[in-house]
Amino acid sequence: MCREVDLQQAVLAKNDATAHSLRAGLTARGTTVVNLLSSPGSGKTELLERELALACERGVPVAALTADLATENDAARLARSGAPVKQVLTDGLCHLEAAMLGRHLDNWLPDGTRILFVENVGNLVCPAAYDLGETLRVVLASVTEGEDKPLKYPTAFGLAHLVVVTKTDIAEAVEFDEAAFRAHVQQVNPGVEILLTAARRGQGVGSLLDRALAIGEGAPVHTPVMARQHTYTRGAHTPHDHGAHSSHDHGGTHTHTHTHTLTHTHSDLGTHEHPHTGPHTHTHPDEPLVMTTEPVSGAQYLS
């Protein structure tokens, strides 16, 4: 007997449930999670280091978890701020998942942490599909990346609660068209706020910290149109809430759209990786699905 299994739904539904639980637990202990997404080289580590240093200067309890495929360079940089920092090495996995984040926070996140900054793997494709249990999802883009970035990566920008432009001090030199960039952002995510920053000059530093603190005290979070539309149409089952993200049912046949690379293992086929874009339905023998998405290490930097 065979059964229809949508592999994307199986992975993402499990991740969403874990993220929902993680968000509830962190909120209960008074911690606001900020998920930072961007392409490699956008300047997010530079900005984050300065946000952490400012928080320590103000006496705000913060921590940071940074994810990379290899090296502990970013954790070493962030630790200079004086905040507790942990490095997660994904061993080639292109994104963090909620379960991975939860495991690395166990017995590490200091009590009383008001803001946890999560620096996701440098990539605007895979991380966009995974809710980490964050309260604030921030997508960053540098002026050197081009004004059409939001149109090229509509899922990442379309699900953002806040968009940050970095390296604006060189905007004129690279002929960055701010008006065009803003128009493209609004095209995929109407109403989202856009911040301009130049971390090395101090411009905009503190903005992320201030917003995260305000959200922790009950300030509203922008709800992207894409998040409201991001629902699974399935049979009769009790839906569950996803905080600032979407709600969906579980049961029956459904269709939804995600863009990400999925790695999975079948008992007789081995492990393979392939991209999925748009609705996909797969038929497999009635056997358990084993996901190969485990991180391999996590070095800690505690100040």
Side-chain angles (χ1 to χ4, degrees):
M1 177 180 176
C2 292
R3 62 187 174 91
E4 271 193 353
V5 178
D6 185 319
L7 295 178
Q8 294 180 77
Q9 191 277 336
V11 175
L12 294 172
K14 181 178 180 180
N15 183 84
D16 285 354
T18 302
H20 175 66
S21 176
L22 186 59
R23 179 163 35 244
L26 288 167
T27 299
R29 62 185 285 180
T31 302
T32 298
V33 180
V34 181
N35 184 9
L36 303 174
L37 291 81
S38 79
S39 301
S42 68
K44 67 178 178 296
T45 305
E46 178 78 26
L47 180 59
L48 179 53
E49 180 184 351
R50 292 174 184 264
E51 295 283 345
L52 293 172
L54 182 60
C56 292
E57 202 177 292
R58 292 182 183 177
V60 179
V62 295
L65 183 147
T66 181
D68 276 306
L69 277 66
T71 82
E72 297 173 0
N73 296 348
D74 286 354
R77 286 182 60 186
L78 295 177
R80 297 184 307 201
S81 68
V85 176
K86 187 173 186 180
Q87 178 80 56
V88 175
L89 300 180
T90 66
D91 192 31
L93 191 65
C94 63
H95 60 276
L96 282 174
E97 297 175 8
M100 295 165 60
L101 178 62
R103 284 194 298 273
H104 283 283
L105 295 183
D106 280 346
N107 303 315
W108 171 75
L109 187 66
D111 290 337
T113 300
R114 291 185 63 187
I115 303 172
L116 169 65
F117 289 97
V118 178
E119 184 179 17
N120 219 314
V121 180
N123 178 355
L124 283 176
V125 182
C126 304
Y130 288 84
D131 180 1
L132 299 183
E134 70 266 20
T135 308
L136 181 65
R137 176 178 289 212
V138 182
V139 175
L140 303 90
S142 72
V143 297
T144 59
E145 296 177 62
E147 299 81 9
D148 60 348
K149 201 81 170 185
L151 302 182
K152 288 183 175 181
Y153 300 93
T155 301
F157 284 89
L159 288 173
H161 301 126
L162 179 68
V163 173
V164 174
V165 181
T166 61
K167 305 182 183 181
T168 57
D169 51 326
I170 60 171
E172 185 176 351
V174 298
E175 299 182 348
F176 176 68
D177 188 336
E178 181 185 333
F181 180 84
R182 287 181 176 276
H184 293 154
V185 170
Q186 294 305 316
Q187 185 175 331
V188 299
N189 193 346
V192 69
E193 183 182 6
I194 300 171
L195 296 179
L196 303 180
T197 66
R200 291 189 175 180
R201 294 180 179 272
Q203 180 185 345
V205 174
S207 298
L208 292 180
L209 177 64
D210 290 342
R211 277 157 179 75
L213 288 171
I215 289 168
E217 294 171 359
V221 180
H222 168 72
T223 303
V225 172
M226 185 176 290
R228 293 197 294 269
Q229 295 173 342
H230 179 74
T231 40
Y232 298 81
T233 306
R234 307 202 63 186
H237 189 79
T238 303
H240 57 267
D241 175 59
H242 290 261
H245 296 271
S246 61
S247 300
H248 57 270
D249 302 0
H250 296 284
T253 302
H254 70 286
T255 300
H256 67 279
T257 301
H258 283 293
T259 302
H260 66 286
T261 299
L262 176 66
T263 303
H264 57 277
T265 299
H266 300 288
S267 57
D268 58 343
L269 298 178
T271 301
H272 59 283
E273 181 175 285
H274 53 99
H276 286 287
T277 304
H280 298 271
T281 301
H282 304 261
T283 301
H284 297 283
D286 195 2
E287 61 181 36
L289 182 66
V290 181
M291 306 309 301
T292 59
T293 54
E294 291 295 317
V296 295
S297 63
Q300 297 188 28
Y301 291 76
L302 298 177
S303 57

